[in-house]
Amino acid sequence: AQSVTQLDSQVPVFEEAPVELRCNYSSSVSVYLFWYVQYPNQGLQLLLKYLSGSTLVESINGFEAEFNKSQTSFHLRKPSVHISDTAEYFCAVSVAAGNKLTFGGGTRVLVKP
Amino acid sequence: DTAVSQTPKYLVTQMGNDKSIKCEQNLGHDTMYWYKQDSKKFLKIMFSYNNKELIINETVPNRFSPKSPDKAHLNLHINSLELGDSAVYFCASSQEVAAGSYGYTFGSGTRLTVV
């Protein structure tokens, strides 16, 4: 079975500073990787995903994540955060032919002015 | 609007009661899910249905019973509610069984509080 570990439960960061959210996964088979964002009192929204091909994937709002197979990681980064990026971020993994998403414990990003 | 919609958004009830949460998606997806998010934000899958057929049933008390009248609906019925059932319940759907390639579309959640 696959598992996901998000190493930081909370990351405080100042506005316009960079942020990195760490995600490591464990699986014996090929996986797909996802980052979801949950704004306060809302459902989860897909931020970006890695299926295959280029190991660097980007979202439309400036986030990027890099798949590193040797380190079994899929860290999320943004070079300059905004107040509006304050949210809970979830890393998730699915086996390539499966239908179940397994989530990490989440990382709360608090952007301070 | 195309979406996954859940009702009610908030549900406060007493221990021992029976309650239902409804979920509908108009995305044409074949697979629907129920996830439970606890107070620490941890998300755990409960059930998954594909075209009205149960395909995932995680270790969930049998007080929880999902029902899928058609592929656009997946309801969750909970009997004999307990304090530990308090959580946010999310419905989600995906385009096909191999949801790994597409990810999920989530509803906005139902916050259940058992008192």
Side-chain angles (χ1 to χ4, degrees):
Chain A
Q2 63 271 25
S3 66
V4 182
T5 302
Q6 291 183 242
L7 297 165
D8 307 296
S9 60
Q10 188 164 321
V11 174
V13 57
F14 286 105
E15 194 173 16
E16 298 184 6
V19 71
E20 177 180 80
L21 309 183
R22 296 179 292 170
C23 172
N24 287 90
Y25 69 93
S26 173
S27 175
S28 58
V29 298
S30 296
V31 296
Y32 296 146
L33 293 155
F34 304 82
W35 277 99
Y36 281 82
V37 58
Q38 184 180 25
Y39 298 105
N41 298 313
Q42 294 187 27
L44 282 79
Q45 302 172 32
L46 181 64
L47 192 59
L48 46 75
K49 61 185 177 185
Y50 170 78
L51 305 180
S52 64
S54 172
T55 57
L56 186 65
V57 291
E58 299 176 352
S59 72
I60 58 174
N61 56 354
F63 283 92
E64 63 178 31
E66 185 159 20
F67 170 57
N68 187 320
K69 188 174 181 179
S70 63
Q71 296 186 3
T72 60
S73 67
F74 191 54
H75 300 334
L76 181 71
R77 302 181 185 92
K78 187 170 185 179
S80 176
V81 295
H82 303 291
I83 295 288
S84 59
D85 292 323
T86 293
E88 192 90 22
Y89 292 80
F90 292 92
C91 183
V93 64
S94 151
V95 297
N99 68 336
K100 182 173 81 170
L101 273 180
T102 299
F103 287 87
T107 297
R108 183 165 180 253
V109 172
L110 179 59
V111 181
K112 302 177 181 179
Chain B
D1 289 345
T2 56
V4 177
S5 57
Q6 296 178 229
T7 55
K9 191 171 177 65
Y10 300 96
L11 184 54
V12 181
T13 188
Q14 290 186 328
M15 285 175 54
N17 284 351
D18 303 338
K19 290 294 179 184
S20 292
I21 306 171
K22 296 185 177 181
C23 180
E24 175 182 5
Q25 55 93 6
N26 61 2
L27 299 163
H29 289 172
D30 291 325
T31 308
M32 297 184 72
Y33 311 81
W34 278 110
Y35 274 78
K36 179 180 180 180
Q37 186 176 46
D38 64 22
S39 58
K40 295 183 178 180
K41 300 287 187 179
F42 185 71
L43 277 157
K44 185 172 171 58
I45 191 167
M46 301 172 69
F47 302 103
S48 172
Y49 270 74
N50 175 257
N51 273 321
K52 303 191 297 177
E53 181 181 345
L54 181 67
I55 52 174
I56 292 177
N57 184 352
E58 295 289 300
T59 308
V60 177
N62 58 14
R63 298 181 294 105
F64 290 79
S65 54
K67 286 186 171 56
S68 182
D70 55 61
K71 74 173 190 177
H73 295 84
L74 180 62
N75 304 322
L76 183 65
H77 188 76
I78 316 170
N79 290 325
S80 303
L81 278 155
E82 300 177 357
L83 292 177
D85 298 331
S86 296
V88 181
Y89 293 83
F90 285 102
C91 178
S93 69
S94 65
Q95 194 163 348
E96 58 185 59
V97 173
S101 57
Y102 293 99
Y104 295 174
T105 300
F106 280 86
S108 57
T110 296
R111 183 175 295 275
L112 171 65
T113 303
V114 183
V115 298

